[in-house]
Amino acid sequence: MKSLARILFPMMMVTENVLAKDHITTLKNYIKATYGHELVISDAQIRQLSWVMDNPQATPEMDRYKVKGIHKEVPRALSRLYNLQRLRSGTKEDFEKFIAPQKDIKALNEEKAEKPEALSFESFRQLSAAIRPMDDYHYEGLAAAAIISAVTLSPEAIQKARLIPDLKIPTGSVKFLAATAPEAGKIYPLARAFNKRFDTGNHLFEVAFMPDSHLRHMMYNEGSLAMYKHIDRGLANGSVSRDELRFWYYHWVINIAGFRGHLAPKGSLYLTQNTYNAMTAVKTVLDQLGSGEKAFNPIRAYLAKRAEWLQLEKHTRNTDEQLALASLAASLRLFSPEQGKQLYQAFGQLSPANQKRWVAYSQYQFTNTRTPAPTYAPALFANAVVEAGLADTVVKALPLFLDVIDKEQKMRKNGQLSLQVPVSFRELSQQQQVDRILHQPLKGIVTIDPVTGVASITK
């Protein structure tokens, strides 16, 4: 008599195959309905992207807005691919398609943000000028990385990663990409096909997914000097070349271009002129790394530029306070002098103790080189601003952020939280939790899961 396992195993395989085909059909229908013939995408890319359909996780960014009938990471990945193709073509028509969501009243109303300055044609042209000359190896590497980024921590990716001996599987999506990059060809079919086509190893994926090197974290100043440590050391010792840093940067440009693709999949809602300016300011800082000059502090240099944009010197002469406000503005994605004034006024509504706590934390960011950047805090702030505005976000969400950081530091000091695990605001960024933070006066107890780093509030 056949064992139950032998009977069930083929049935399970059939079920999985049927589900995979259903996912691929769903994706193809969505792509056709959304893009018509405007998006060039291969069957291999679609099959790889289908992994995300079974993933229970998705970014909490702009969580209030749901995508009907499709996983939120799908339109984000497809938007990245679409925008990459617009940049490679680089015509005025491509530019208009790229910035179309930035002029779309419906998309802007969903974002509920101050109407941004649309990306200029000159800025688009500069980005395009970097993408157009790329050879097929680097261009297709950008496309493959954009798709693979969407399936990080999907059940299929985790299952494949577990087959790699001695591979430790992180719980964070970006760290998972970095950990799996050296074995990308064994885990991701799209990476395997890419490696076969160009007769190469996983090197380009290792560059795209460099550990602890996250451009959006740098733009939002989410972490400390630890964000720059891998790149700075790599440039100094030759393990990271300037050309590799350039590829890494444009991988993140494409990532950012589709960051809010779930709100507007055709074009880039997020890569406005302000975002371009922030990216470029970080790039300027990165270009100064690797010299071994200890006096240069990339965070100070970057925040000084942001303080200048906000004209914070008009509101406070205290340099430490200016940089602390610039750090907060980076996380809140504020750019204009008027927003700088509003931020200063909102910060003044905090208790003196909480103001001092934030300034002290900002100073800590300038020197800490060990602790990984917290994740999803800007998503918490962005979702709170949509719900309640800037002032309430600063007054109600910022003290909670500091409470989580205090808890994190105590746990690390006591050996309860590994330096390999970043503290995560993923759960606190969800819509229900944001509503609780903003509208329920009773505070709970902050806890951090020592395995995942996920912070939460207990009743």
Side-chain angles (χ1 to χ4, degrees), residues 367-389:
T367 57
N368 174 35
T369 59
R370 301 181 66 220
T371 308
T375 58
Y376 298 109
L380 164 63
F381 295 142
N383 293 342
V385 168
V386 168
E387 174 67 22

Side-chain angles (χ1 to χ4, degrees), residues 209-401:
F209 305 135
M210 280 195 292
D212 302 317
S213 305
H214 191 302
L215 183 62
R216 288 204 317 271
H217 286 177
M218 297 171 184
M219 287 168 56
Y220 308 149
N221 204 45
E222 291 186 56
S224 63
L225 284 181
M227 296 185 293
Y228 296 89
K229 186 176 180 180
H230 178 87
I231 291 174
D232 191 25
R233 184 174 53 205
L235 289 170
N237 65 25
S239 61
V240 176
S241 71
R242 292 288 173 184
D243 284 344
E244 288 168 339
L245 180 61
R246 186 170 178 272
F247 177 82
W248 170 88
Y249 177 78
Y250 284 101
H251 158 69
W252 279 106
V253 168
I254 300 308
N255 181 285
I256 289 166
F259 187 48
R260 290 190 175 161
H262 55 296
L263 298 183
K266 290 183 68 175
S268 180
L269 179 62
Y270 194 68
L271 210 171
T272 61
Q273 188 60 39
N274 281 334
T275 302
Y276 175 86
N277 292 341
M279 290 178 353
T280 304
V282 172
K283 187 176 185 299
T284 299
V285 165
L286 291 169
D287 288 342
Q288 297 176 66
L289 294 180
S291 65
E293 177 57 53
K294 293 185 178 180
F296 178 69
N297 188 305
I299 292 183
R300 280 186 175 274
Y302 176 61
L303 292 183
K305 176 58 70 174
R306 294 202 72 122
E308 182 183 318
W309 295 340
L310 296 161
Q311 297 182 5
L312 293 174
E313 76 282 355
K314 290 184 176 181
H315 308 294
T316 174
R317 296 287 184 177
N318 186 316
T319 303
D320 289 345
E321 189 174 36
Q322 287 178 16
L323 294 176
L325 287 169
S327 178
L328 182 54
S331 286
L332 287 164
R333 302 153 188 175
L334 307 180
F335 295 91
S336 69
E338 179 59 30
Q339 288 175 327
K341 178 182 178 181
Q342 294 170 3
L343 176 63
Y344 178 75
Q345 292 171 342
F347 190 73
Q349 294 180 39
L350 287 169
S351 68
N354 279 330
Q355 291 182 38
K356 288 180 181 178
R357 288 173 75 200
W358 179 255
V359 173
Y361 174 69
S362 299
Q363 293 294 308
Y364 167 79
Q365 289 180 294
F366 298 148
T367 57
N368 174 35
T369 59
R370 301 181 66 220
T371 308
T375 58
Y376 298 109
L380 164 63
F381 295 142
N383 293 342
V385 168
V386 168
E387 174 67 22
L390 177 60
D392 275 0
T393 296
V394 172
V395 171
K396 297 178 181 179
L398 190 60
L400 171 65
F401 172 88

